[in-house]
């Protein structure tokens, strides 16, 4: 009895292991071989055309191994190897190309500061860069086809049943269909709710295989080799009973908690000594200090470069503001920063008033408070240029949710659910909402809800590549946005 009690107590202290596949490790190795082989092919082809002029030496070996190590870092950072995402290949190719571009920039920077960049042939490095990207794209396209498109052999597929004819079960069914390389052959749904009852099932009736008694029978007979339980977490006792009875079968059983019932913001699974902890509301920089460091490095480097380029135009703009109307050149307005802490945001003054109190009226089209010179600055977002100083100060970021006046925050936080979650990151000069059409006056709650939705999506899916994409789209949009006034 004592031994049985000890065994049972070990169940309660069990832990969950992180899922790491040897398949992903093999893909990493092949990518590394591609990077090195591409450099060798580049040198070989040049030596065939110009014999003796492009000899292999230590500097190329340095390029090769530096590129290999840095690409592995950026590919891991940009989640190139996480095939669980189920995204299309265009999305995957963007991550691969972005990782390789960041690799080349990092290699060039390292060799520039080591004063060895001039020892290598630019032609050879250019050919290597092109061949590597092409081979990486071709390899991952083939890998994508084999693992997600090509149907697995019949003997390697497992018949799978889903317990719970609900929205989460349908998502799983779609995943099995879109990723046949997983090796799951969907058999149908099992639910003890009857088709003729008032509680209608969220699935095609033809895919309903029966109630839970039928589930246990099919599992015992071997008709089901894998079972996914997708019942809501509120049905804890019911789930426990199902798992207990499935323990009398040889089927592989997965429990899928319905976390999507919540509006997840930057959600991730954190393992604390084998205990899975799911964050519901969080910042993308909470659990990954490296992300925060890269984000800050991006802001410092880009804002420094931009301020160097716009220093003279800012002086001319400041003179124009002073001459166009009486008042200060710089308008400082109190807004919310990261975690809701108050910050002062700087802008060139474009209005005849400087509202910064409990009531702040949004700018509207043909607003009489905006003089012609101020309208010109607002049309091309030139009034925002002083905020690059805010970025250097650490108060803001180049990309992030746009900061709103304190008065507007206090109003909208009462009207829009989870509005304040947009302050989990630093506010930005530009953001995903602004390049997605949500710019300008928010004269309805619906417009602000759309902006907040994009802000939360940005926080949820933040990456260095996403920041660069938003910056490029902002540059294009500055000259053709009809909502800039």
């Amino acid at each position: 009895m004592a031994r049985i009690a000890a065994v049972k107590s070990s169940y309660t202290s069990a832990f969950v292991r992180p899922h790491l596949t040897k398949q992903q490790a093999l893909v990493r190795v092949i990518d590394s071989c591609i990077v090195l082989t591409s450099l060798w092919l580049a040198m070989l082809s040049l030596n065939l055309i110009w014999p003796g002029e492009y000899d292999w030496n230590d500097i190329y070996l340095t390029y090769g191994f530096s590129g290999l190590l840095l690409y592995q870092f950026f590919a891991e950072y940009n989640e190139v190897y996480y095939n669980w995402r189920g995204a299309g290949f265009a999305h995957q190719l963007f991550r691969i190309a972005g990782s390789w571009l960041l690799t080349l920039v990092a290699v060039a920077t390292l060799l520039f500061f080591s004063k060895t960049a001039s020892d290598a042939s630019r032609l050879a490095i250019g050919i290597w860069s092109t061949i590597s990207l092409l081979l990486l794209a071709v390899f991952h396209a083939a890998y994508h086809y084999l693992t997600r498109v090509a149907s697995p052999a019949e003997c390697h597929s497992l018949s799978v049943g889903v317990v719970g004819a609900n929205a989460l079960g349908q998502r799983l069914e779609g995943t099995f269909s879109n990723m046949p390389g997983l090796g799951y052959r969907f058999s149908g749904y099992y639910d003890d709710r009857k088709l003729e009852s008032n509680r209608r099932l969220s699935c095609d009736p033809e895919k309903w295989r029966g109630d839970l008694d039928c589930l246990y029978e099919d599992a015992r007979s071997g008709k089901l080799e894998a079972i996914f339980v997708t019942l809501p977490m509120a049905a804890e006792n019911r789930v426990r009973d199902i798992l207990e009875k499935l323990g009398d079968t040889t089927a592989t059983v997965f429990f899928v908690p319905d976390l999507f019932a919540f509006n997840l913001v930057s959600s991730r699974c954190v393992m604390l000594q084998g205990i899975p902890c799911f964050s519901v509301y969080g910042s993308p920089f909470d659990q990954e200090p490296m992300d925060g460091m890269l984000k800050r490095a991006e802001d410092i480097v880009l804002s420094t470069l931009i301020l160097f380029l716009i220093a003279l135009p800012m002086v001319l703009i400041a003179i124009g503001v002073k001459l166009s109307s009486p008042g200060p050149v710089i308008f400082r307005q109190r807004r919310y920063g990261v975690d809701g802490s108050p910050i002062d945001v700087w802008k060139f003054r474009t209005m005849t008033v400087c509202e910064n109190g409990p009531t702040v009226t949004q700018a509207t089209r043909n607003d009489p408070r905006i003089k012609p010179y101020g309208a010109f600055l607002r049309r091309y977002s030139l009034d925002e240029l002083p905020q690059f100083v805010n970025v250097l100060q650490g108060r803001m970021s180049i990309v992030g949710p746009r900061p709103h006046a304190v008065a507007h925050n206090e109003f909208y936080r009462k009207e829009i659910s989870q509005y304040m979650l947009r302050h989990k990151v630093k506010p930005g000069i530009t953001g995903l909402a602004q390049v997605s059409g949500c710019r300008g006056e928010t004269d309805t709650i619906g417009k602000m809800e759309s902006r907040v939705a994009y802000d939360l999506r940005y926080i949820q899916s933040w990456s260095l590549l996403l920041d660069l994409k938003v910056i490029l789209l902002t540059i294009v949009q500055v000259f053709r946005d009809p909502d800039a006034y």
Side-chain angles (χ1 to χ4, degrees):
M1 292 295 294
R3 181 180 179 184
I4 293 176
V7 172
K8 287 188 175 180
S9 67
S10 70
Y11 295 159
T12 61
S13 61
F15 63 93
V16 179
R17 300 179 184 275
H19 179 65
L20 300 174
T21 68
K22 298 178 178 64
Q23 180 176 301
Q24 293 172 348
L26 179 60
V27 172
R28 290 182 174 89
V29 171
I30 295 176
D31 279 355
S32 299
C33 293
I34 287 176
V35 172
L36 286 178
T37 304
S38 298
L39 182 56
W40 178 79
L41 288 175
M43 299 300 297
L44 178 64
S45 60
L46 288 175
N47 270 311
L48 290 176
I49 300 175
W50 295 286
E53 294 188 22
Y54 294 91
D55 294 329
W56 184 273
N57 54 42
D58 291 343
I59 189 61
Y60 293 109
L61 192 63
T62 302
Y63 264 102
F65 279 101
S66 298
L68 182 155
L69 295 175
L70 288 168
Y71 177 75
Q72 285 298 314
F73 169 77
F74 287 115
E76 181 70 23
Y77 180 79
N78 291 317
E79 300 180 352
V80 168
Y81 303 113
Y82 288 85
N83 57 9
W84 55 267
R85 286 180 168 271
F89 181 65
H91 180 84
Q92 183 76 353
L93 183 59
F94 173 75
R95 291 177 175 273
I96 294 169
S99 300
W100 183 240
L101 177 62
L102 291 172
T103 297
L104 295 177
V105 172
V107 169
T109 302
L110 288 173
L111 294 178
F112 173 79
F113 285 107
S114 64
K115 299 181 180 181
T116 57
S118 60
D119 298 334
S121 166
R122 294 182 179 85
L123 179 60
I125 300 304
I127 295 176
W128 170 54
S129 303
T130 304
I131 293 177
S132 289
L133 181 58
L134 289 176
L135 292 181
L136 287 170
V138 169
F139 166 65
H140 280 270
Y143 175 68
H144 174 85
Y145 176 79
L146 292 174
T147 58
R148 305 186 189 183
V149 181
S151 298
E154 189 69 23
C155 60
H156 291 154
S157 62
L158 301 176
S159 59
V160 57
V162 174
V163 181
N166 49 36
L168 182 56
Q170 288 182 315
R171 287 190 63 173
L172 277 175
E173 180 193 352
T175 299
F176 300 148
S177 175
N178 296 330
M179 300 180 66
L182 292 174
Y184 291 128
R185 186 179 69 256
F186 180 69
S187 296
Y189 295 97
Y190 294 83
D191 202 307
D192 55 7
R193 293 175 294 174
K194 304 300 182 182
L195 287 173
E196 63 273 11
S197 69
N198 292 329
R199 296 181 299 171
R200 300 184 62 184
L201 303 180
S202 302
C203 73
D204 185 346
E206 295 182 358
K207 297 178 181 179
W208 185 74
R209 294 293 175 261
D211 57 15
L212 296 183
D213 289 333
C214 185
L215 167 73
Y216 304 139
E217 181 61 30
D218 289 349
R220 292 191 188 99
S221 65
K223 291 182 180 180
L224 293 179
E225 299 168 280
I227 298 170
F228 288 76
V229 181
T230 64
L231 299 181
M233 290 183 289
E236 177 184 355
N237 293 331
R238 188 174 167 213
V239 170
R240 184 183 292 110
D241 182 63
I242 293 172
L243 298 181
E244 182 73 21
K245 292 180 179 178
L246 289 176
D248 190 36
T249 72
T250 59
T252 300
V253 180
F254 297 88
F255 173 58
V256 187
D258 190 7
L259 297 178
F260 301 103
F262 309 102
N263 186 12
L264 305 178
V265 177
S266 191
S267 177
R268 65 190 65 208
C269 180
V270 180
M271 305 297 291
L272 301 178
Q273 291 190 340
I275 303 173
C277 303
F278 294 92
S279 65
V280 179
Y281 305 140
S283 165
F285 313 119
D286 285 343
Q287 301 298 329
E288 292 289 346
M290 181 64 72
D291 285 350
M293 293 171 59
L294 286 175
K295 175 74 167 174
R296 183 60 183 149
E298 170 199 354
D299 286 337
I300 292 174
V301 171
L302 292 182
S303 60
T304 301
L305 177 61
I306 292 172
L307 283 172
F308 176 77
L309 295 175
I310 66 174
L312 181 57
M314 284 181 65
V315 172
L316 298 177
I317 292 173
I319 295 174
V321 172
K322 193 64 178 177
L323 295 177
S324 63
S325 61
V329 172
I330 299 295
F331 169 47
R332 296 175 175 85
Q333 188 175 66
R334 182 59 58 92
R335 302 190 179 188
Y336 284 167
V338 63
D339 293 328
S341 58
I343 61 172
D344 285 328
V345 174
W346 296 359
K347 300 178 66 174
F348 282 122
R349 183 178 55 81
T350 57
M351 293 185 175
T352 56
V353 297
C354 296
E355 296 177 342
N356 197 20
T359 301
V360 176
T361 305
Q362 291 192 44
T364 59
R365 192 179 297 275
N366 301 319
D367 195 315
R369 297 172 300 169
I370 303 176
K371 297 304 179 182
Y373 186 72
F376 168 76
L377 297 182
R378 297 175 72 93
R379 174 64 183 85
Y380 296 103
S381 299
L382 298 176
D383 59 320
E384 312 282 356
L385 294 184
Q387 290 171 28
F388 285 103
V389 178
N390 291 142
V391 174
L392 275 183
Q393 292 172 334
R395 300 175 183 174
M396 294 181 63
S397 179
I398 293 179
V399 181
R402 283 292 298 158
H404 300 153
V406 172
H408 296 160
N409 282 326
E410 294 304 317
F411 171 77
Y412 286 116
R413 72 187 303 176
K414 301 173 184 176
E415 302 292 329
I416 300 176
S417 175
Q418 300 177 337
Y419 173 85
M420 291 300 292
L421 292 178
R422 65 193 299 274
H423 299 96
K424 295 300 295 182
V425 297
K426 291 179 182 179
I429 298 176
T430 184
L432 182 61
Q434 283 63 47
V435 299
S436 302
C438 297
R439 185 185 177 188
E441 181 186 6
T442 52
D443 52 352
T444 65
I445 294 295
K447 288 184 178 180
M448 182 58 78
E449 286 178 337
S450 297
R451 180 178 294 188
V452 172
Y454 278 111
D455 290 339
L456 298 185
R457 182 185 301 178
Y458 169 78
I459 296 173
Q460 187 175 32
S461 57
W462 178 86
S463 70
L464 201 60
L465 294 179
L466 178 58
D467 274 5
L468 297 177
K469 179 180 178 180
V470 170
I471 291 172
L472 292 176
L473 290 175
T474 300
I475 296 173
V476 173
Q477 197 175 63
V478 160
F479 298 100
R480 62 178 189 184
D481 189 354
D483 293 325
Y485 52 82

